[in-house]
Amino acid sequence: MPSNKRPAALSVRGLQKAIGGRTIVEDITFDVCEGEVFGFLGPNGAGKTTTIRMIVGLIKPTNGQVQIGGFDLRQNFIEAMRCVGCIVENPELYKYMTGWQNLEHFANMLGDVTDERIEEVVRLVKLENRVHDKVRTYSLGMRQRLGIAQALLGRPKLLILDEPTNGLDPAGIRELREFIRKLAREEGLAVFVSSHLLSEVQMMCDRIAIIGNGKILRVATVEEIVQSEINRIEWTVEPRELAVRVIEEEVGDGRVDLLGVNKVVATLNQAQTAHVNERLIAAGVKLYSVQLQGQLEELFLEITGGDSIA
Amino acid sequence: MRNLLGLVENETLKVVRKKRFLVVLLILLVLIPLFAYGQQTQQERLKAKVGINDWRIQLQQQITDTERRLQSASLSDEYKKVLTMQKEQNRYYLDRGINPAETGASTFTRVFMQFGSQLFMPLLIIVVAADIVSTEHTDGTVKLLLTRPVKRWKILLSKYITLLLFTGLTVMAMGVFSYLISGLFFGYKGWDAPMFTGFSMSGGGIDTSAVQMIPQWKLVLMNYGLGFVAAITVATLSFMVSVLIRSTAAGMGVMMAVLIGGTILVQMASDFPLSKYLFVTHLRLTDYINGTPLPIPDLTLPFSLAMLGLWSLGALIVAFVTFSRRDVLA
C-alpha cells in the first residue's frame, strides 16, 4: 500500500494550460511515489491527455511545475526524461520497421542501452517470436506490448501509460494488469496509469486522482473511494417481488430499478449493502449474484454534483 | 557528439527503410534513358538535315539558321539577344576548331544538371525533404521521438544533417546515372574535350574577356558543385515546410506549387523588380559558367549565392525556433 514516506518519483504542482485564452487544465497537483501504481481517472475530454503531455514535455505548461525523479522538467529536461518511460495515447511506432529495429532506434536515442537490455525487455513483454517482423503486421495488443518494451528500455523510475487497456481483449487486460503490478512490486517502479474506467483503475492501482473539467476533484486510495462512496448494486434474485420489498425497506419506496427478468438495481453504501444482503437471505430470496455496476458514473455524479460527463 | 551521430544514424535508417530514397533512384533510372533517347533522336534528325556528318558544317548551318531567324521582325528584343549570344558562341567555337556539341556521355551529364537544376532536381529533393519531419506528425511517432532525454534542437539537427546527406547523394546519383546510362547511347567519350567557360553578357554583346578553356570533366564538376548549392537551398526550404505543415502531402504540394509557380513567374515577368529576390530565380546557378543567358540580366554569381544563402538561413531559423517551441497537441 502507498505510504507517503517513500520518495516521489513524480511531483506535479499547480499545473495549468491555457490555449487561446481557454483554460484546459487548471491547478493540477499530486505526487506519485516509488513502487506505487497511481491511477489518473476521468471521463474523456477531462484533461487527462493534456496533463500527461505536459508531464512528458510535449506541451509547455502555462503555469506550474513538474518534477521527475527530483529533476525539474523545464530546467533539467534531459535528466528528468532519463527517469521516464511513456506511452502517450496509442503506441504509434514506426510501422515500416521491425519491432527490434524500433527498439534499436530508441536505444540509440538513450545512448547507453546494450543489445542484451533490448533482448531482456523483449522477453519481458513476451514478444520474442515476432520481434523481427515489421510492426505493420502486429496486432494492437502486440503494439501495446512493444510500446511498453520501448518505455522500459532505459530502466525508468517512472512509467507513464495513457489508457493502456484501449483495444485490448479481456485476457490482454488481465495480463497487463498483472504485469504493471509486478513492475511496481518487484522493480519498485512508479506507474502512472490514466483511464476512464473506474473498475479498471480500481483493480490496478493503489491510489487514484480523479479529474473532471480540467481540475483534480479528489486524490485518495482505492479503499477510501470504494468504502466511502455509494455504489450502484445489481442483484440477480428470485423471486423478484420479495427482493424489491426487502430492498425498498432499506432505500425507500420507488428507489429500486428493475432490469431484465430477475435483476434489481439500487444505489446504496457498503453498510447498507451488507444489511440488505443479510435480509434477503433471511427472507428466503434466492440470491444468484451481487454486483457493483457503473461505479464511475455514480462517483462522478456524487463528486461533481451532477455535472454532465461523457 | 556521439549522441548526435547515433541520431543521424537513426534518421538515415528511417529514410532508407521507408524507401523514400529508392523512389528517387527509380525516377532517375526511368527518366534518364528517356532523356538520352530523346537527345539521340534529335541529333540524328539534325544530321539528316545537314546531310553530312560533319560538325563544322553543322555548326555553320546552325549559325546561318540563327542569322536567318534574327532577321525576322516579329522577334522580341529579349529573344533576339539570346539568339545573338548563341550565334556568337558558336562562331567562337568554330573559329577555334572546337566542337561544342561533342556528344558524349560527359556532355549529356553536364547538360542534364544544367537543365535539371531549375525543376527536375528540386522535385527529386522534395521527395525526401518534405517527408522528413512531417511524417513523424502524420504517423504520431513524434510523441515517442520527443519524449526522450534528447533536446529538441538536437533531434531536428540530426534530421537536417541526414537531409543534406541525401541531397548530396541525389546530386551524385544524377551525375553517375546520367553518365552511365547516356554512355550506352552516345559512348563514354569526351571527358577531356576542351570547353570554354566564362561567357557573359555585357552591354547587349557577348563578353569574351573572361573566357577560358577547361577540360570537360572540370566543367562537369563545376556544374554539379553549383547544382548541389541550389539543391541545398531547395532542401532547406522544404525542410522548413516539413516542420510547419504537419501533413506530408500538403507540404509536398506547397513546395511544388512554389517551385513551379516561381519558375513560371520568373519566365513570364522577368522585369518584375522583386523577382531577383526570389530563390527560384537563382536555382540555375550553372548558367553562370555555361554562358547561357540568365532570365534576368545583370545578375552575378555572388549575388545569386548570397540570395540562396539568405533564404536558407531564414528557413533554418524558422524551422528550429518553431520545432523547439511548439506544443505537440495531436
Side-chain angles (χ1 to χ4, degrees), chain A residues 266-301:
Chain A
T267 304
L268 19 57
N269 66 28
Q270 283 196 335
Q272 287 175 312
T273 312
H275 190 231
V276 166
N277 288 342
E278 255 171 53
R279 295 280 313 276
L280 283 172
I281 291 166
V285 176
K286 282 184 196 158
L287 197 52
Y288 297 121
S289 75
V290 184
Q291 251 182 313
L292 285 174
Q293 184 202 55
Q295 299 118 303
L296 181 62
E297 286 68 23
E298 294 304 312
L299 198 58
F300 268 103
L301 281 176

Side-chain angles (χ1 to χ4, degrees), chain A residues 17 53 57-60 77-78 81-82 88-89 92-94 96-97 101 105 108-111 150, chain B residues 2 9-10 14 17-18 136 139-141 143-145 147-150 152 324 327-330:
Chain A
K17 180 71 187 177
R53 281 171 189 250
L58 289 173
I59 298 181
K60 282 204 175 59
F77 180 80
I78 291 180
M81 290 311 286
R82 277 213 176 275
V88 181
E89 285 176 317
E92 280 140 333
L93 294 129
Y94 298 100
Y96 50 89
M97 301 206 279
Q101 286 168 343
H105 173 271
N108 244 341
M109 295 190 78
L110 287 164
Q150 65 76 28
Chain B
R2 221 200 89 218
E9 184 195 337
N10 273 351
K14 278 190 256 181
R17 284 173 181 156
K18 230 187 157 189
E136 304 273 1
D139 297 348
T141 45
K143 290 176 293 186
L144 287 172
L145 197 68
T147 51
R148 307 289 128 181
V150 181
R152 284 195 190 182
S324 36
D327 283 347
V328 181
L329 290 171

Side-chain angles (χ1 to χ4, degrees), chain A residues 99-107 118 121-122 131 146 149-150 153:
Chain A
W100 184 271
Q101 286 168 343
N102 267 286
L103 292 175
E104 267 184 336
H105 173 271
F106 295 115
I118 301 182
V121 293
V122 168
V131 75
L146 184 60
Q150 65 76 28
L153 260 186

